[in-house]
Amino acid sequence: MEWETVIGLEVHAQLLTKSKAFSGAATQYGAAPNTQACAVDIALPGVLPVFNKEAARMAVKLGLAIGAQVNRRSVFARKNYFYPDLPKGYQISQYELPVVSKGTLTIDVDGVEKVIGITRAHLEEDAGKSLHEDFHGMTGIDLNRAGTPLLEIVSEPDLRSSKEAVAYLKKLHQLVVWLGICDGNMQEGSFRCDANVSVRPKGEKKFGTRAEIKNVNSFRFVEKAIEYEIERQVGVLEGGGTVVQETRLYDSDKDQTRSMRSKEEAMDYRYFPDPDLPPLVLDDALIEGVRATLIELPDAKRVRFMSQYGLNKYDAGVLTSSREMADYYEAVVKQAKADPKIAANWIAVELSGFLNRDNKDIAQSTVTATMMAGLLRRLADNTISGKIAKDVLEAMWAGEGNADAVIEKKGLRQITDSGAIEKAIDEVMAKNPKQMEQYRAGKETLFGYFVGQVMKATQGKANPAQVNELLKKKLAP
Ligand code: ADP
Ligand code: MG
């Protein structure tokens, strides 16, 4: 039997506000335990939450970016459960009326575009953290993270493979970072994902029973966890069993998921509107104010790069992977007055090669946009050849200065003086009488050999086009 996979993702994006969702405590990552937890965060009796409007602005920003409905009135609700890292005994969330609903995100898998529905995005607060190490058999509680604002973004069950799921996740990650509402740091837990996975016989209309895989914190693990889960569920069904609806954990060391709790045991959260908080009412001024700050979004920029600069989809995609990258590219094109396609190649392929190799992002590049523009100018005015330019870029990357400094220091200036090139050719011909004879007797494949010898004799600095032209003349019988 053929099986079809159905996936829906719930993403928690930590919002980049300076203070918490309902208190004035700082949200900075990595502070000493419990130094950023105030009376509200540790739930002392009698405290009252005050909502941080900046979090609402960020939620609206996402809503506008995914073409969603931004709800003028949404309601904070209490989600009740007991856990040591949740001192209030409930999490403030949004339930029936979220701040954002009905958006979409377009993904691209192997060149095929697909629109994925986003059911809702709602505001909520994070819990604290239990620390199980270093406490000699006891558990430590760090409440620094308690009350940090989160935006939970829930997709429709529109994804049909682990590849689509990862593409969606990457796209959403790019967007929240682009909008400046989340730092996207997955190791630190700023962007994490629960994957809901089910399978059904191909052609079946009804969804199968799903398992929810909790808190997967890398793109690779999401893909692996889903793949494992698909195989497990198909195995259960083909063995005549039934999939139980449950919450599972992904263990990356063993590359498998295991049951955490079944849905039957799942808590009844007893959601109800939080009496301490008024409904969140957004007026036109706020929404329009946010709209006015919306910058060109990644998809629009990619399409513009393709039409304005004649780039292919791949290069345009790489060059719009982040705002910094896109700004870098446009700065180079402007400063170097370079052919946009050549500039694209040098950034999306050559420079990106170094960035990937050394695991850096463009903001950390030793080669600034001005330096890259300088390199392209020397390429355009024939001071150096493309091959030498790669060496110059490597030296620039290693911190040896700008293109002119590297070219000067290493004596890489291209030889365009035809007299000098002819002299090198004469020497090569004198040293290779046998090859000359063979070439003139018709072995034309030797032409490449002569080009190579001349380039070698000039340490790669001779202008390749001139070498070709002059060699042809001189070698002719
Ligand atoms: P809960 O809050 O209990 O997790 P939701 O209705 O909010 O339930 O659904 C959570 C996620 O599960 C959504 O992303 C949704 O698309 C996805 N989902 C729902 N049904 C299925 C299914 N049968 N298979 C896979 N994903 C599903
Ligand atoms: Mg869920």
Side-chain angles (χ1 to χ4, degrees):
M1 175 163 348
E2 258 206 90
W3 298 92
E4 182 179 54
T5 307
V6 173
I7 303 162
L9 298 181
E10 296 165 88
V11 168
H12 287 91
Q14 191 176 309
L15 295 175
L16 260 180
T17 55
K18 291 199 177 70
S19 58
K20 298 209 174 154
F22 301 104
S23 83
T27 53
Q28 209 157 351
Y29 180 83
N34 299 309
T35 55
Q36 289 179 174
C38 69
V40 172
D41 306 319
I42 67 175
L44 291 187
V47 297
L48 284 171
V50 178
F51 180 57
N52 181 346
K53 224 171 182 181
E54 197 50 35
R57 288 199 189 90
M58 291 180 171
V60 170
K61 207 166 193 182
L62 178 89
L64 295 175
I66 58 171
Q69 180 182 310
V70 174
N71 298 314
R72 306 283 157 143
R73 184 175 174 280
S74 60
V75 171
F76 289 111
R78 291 186 179 180
K79 178 178 180 179
N80 300 279
Y81 65 94
F82 171 78
Y83 208 74
D85 64 17
L86 188 75
K88 290 199 299 294
Y90 61 85
Q91 176 194 26
I92 304 175
S93 182
Q94 295 189 308
Y95 189 56
E96 277 170 350
L97 294 169
V99 62
V100 165
S101 37
K102 294 191 197 126
T104 59
L105 205 62
T106 305
I107 60 168
D108 185 322
V109 175
D110 301 329
V112 182
E113 289 197 345
K114 183 172 170 182
V115 178
I116 305 300
I118 292 179
T119 320
R120 55 191 272 144
H122 64 253
L123 287 159
E124 61 183 31
E125 58 176 346
D126 211 342
K129 219 194 239 161
S130 302
L131 307 168
H132 300 293
E133 284 135 36
D134 308 329
F135 288 94
H136 314 287
M138 294 181 288
T139 295
I141 303 289
D142 177 7
L143 293 173
N144 279 355
R145 209 178 59 185
T148 298
L150 302 175
L151 193 61
E152 177 171 344
I153 304 152
V154 183
S155 88
E156 289 288 305
D158 288 346
L159 301 156
R160 291 291 173 271
S161 67
S162 60
K163 252 184 157 178
E164 285 188 8
V166 171
Y168 168 86
L169 207 56
K170 284 189 172 167
K171 195 75 190 273
L172 187 57
H173 183 266
Q174 176 197 30
L175 184 61
V176 294
V177 173
W178 188 282
L179 294 172
I181 64 173
C182 176
D183 67 19
N185 191 322
M186 295 175 85
Q187 273 103 39
E188 293 176 3
S190 304
F191 186 91
R192 44 193 204 258
C193 159
D194 302 340
N196 296 270
V197 181
S198 66
V199 296
R200 62 181 170 186
K202 206 156 187 138
E204 168 70 54
K205 285 271 173 309
K206 246 177 54 204
F207 288 143
T209 305
R210 74 182 146 118
E212 179 176 14
I213 313 165
K214 276 280 176 204
N215 271 336
V216 202
N217 68 353
S218 86
F219 296 125
R220 202 165 58 90
F221 290 161
V222 167
E223 180 159 7
K224 288 181 133 198
I226 292 172
E227 283 303 321
Y228 176 87
E229 190 55 26
I230 294 168
E231 216 172 288
R232 185 189 70 85
Q233 291 184 16
V234 168
V236 167
L237 294 171
E238 288 186 341
T242 50
V243 173
V244 279
Q245 185 164 333
E246 63 183 352
T247 303
R248 299 179 70 87
L249 263 188
Y250 176 67
D251 181 336
S252 56
D253 291 332
K254 297 192 180 124
D255 186 25
Q256 60 187 37
T257 66
R258 63 165 183 273
S259 183
M260 195 165 119
R261 56 174 185 257
S262 76
K263 208 72 177 182
E264 283 79 47
E265 292 168 38
M267 295 153 276
D268 176 0
Y269 291 120
R270 293 173 185 273
Y271 278 101
F272 64 87
D274 192 321
D276 286 346
L277 286 158
L280 174 59
V281 175
L282 305 175
D283 56 16
D284 285 346
L286 185 139
I287 295 173
E288 293 316 312
V290 172
R291 197 190 303 278
T293 68
L294 266 192
I295 43 165
E296 188 180 30
L297 296 176
D299 282 349
K301 210 183 262 291
R302 199 189 69 233
V303 169
R304 177 169 67 79
F305 276 18
M306 289 169 74
S307 64
Q308 182 176 342
Y309 301 123
L311 304 187
N312 61 38
K313 205 169 175 179
Y314 176 81
D315 285 350
V318 174
L319 295 175
T320 53
S321 57
S322 72
R323 268 160 75 179
E324 290 78 11
M325 183 60 117
D327 291 347
Y328 184 99
Y329 171 67
E330 293 206 286
V332 169
V333 169
K334 208 166 145 195
Q335 288 185 41
K337 299 196 176 54
D339 176 336
K341 280 198 231 176
I342 292 175
N345 187 60
W346 279 90
I347 298 166
V349 180
E350 305 300 337
L351 181 63
S352 288
F354 289 117
L355 293 171
N356 292 337
R357 189 193 71 189
D358 294 354
N359 204 11
K360 286 190 172 177
D361 57 48
I362 189 77
Q364 303 163 300
S365 170
T366 30
V367 181
T368 62
T370 305
M371 288 163 78
M372 179 58 89
L375 176 70
L376 295 183
R377 274 198 301 271
R378 293 299 158 260
L379 194 59
D381 68 13
N382 270 327
T383 304
I384 50 172
S385 66
K387 195 164 169 298
I388 295 284
K390 285 188 193 182
D391 299 338
V392 175
L393 180 61
E394 172 131 42
M396 287 161 72
W397 179 260
E400 294 181 38
N402 66 20
D404 286 339
V406 171
I407 292 167
E408 241 20 83
K409 195 166 71 188
K410 303 199 167 195
L412 297 175
R413 196 170 277 280
Q414 180 162 247
I415 302 168
T416 51
D417 168 11
S418 51
I421 295 175
E422 277 186 63
K423 193 164 157 257
I425 292 176
D426 289 341
E427 282 166 21
V428 167
M429 285 169 66
K431 267 192 220 154
N432 295 279
K434 222 162 108 200
Q435 284 83 351
M436 288 277 301
E437 214 173 287
Q438 290 173 336
Y439 178 82
R440 287 188 172 154
K443 196 172 174 191
E444 283 180 19
T445 48
L446 276 175
F447 189 76
Y449 168 78
F450 282 105
V451 173
Q453 291 301 305
V454 175
M455 292 311 281
K456 203 169 146 195
T458 57
Q459 289 101 47
K461 290 184 290 190
N463 177 292
Q466 279 174 288
V467 170
N468 267 283
E469 198 191 304
L470 291 170
L471 252 181
K472 251 183 216 144
K473 254 194 237 158
K474 293 220 158 214
L475 285 176

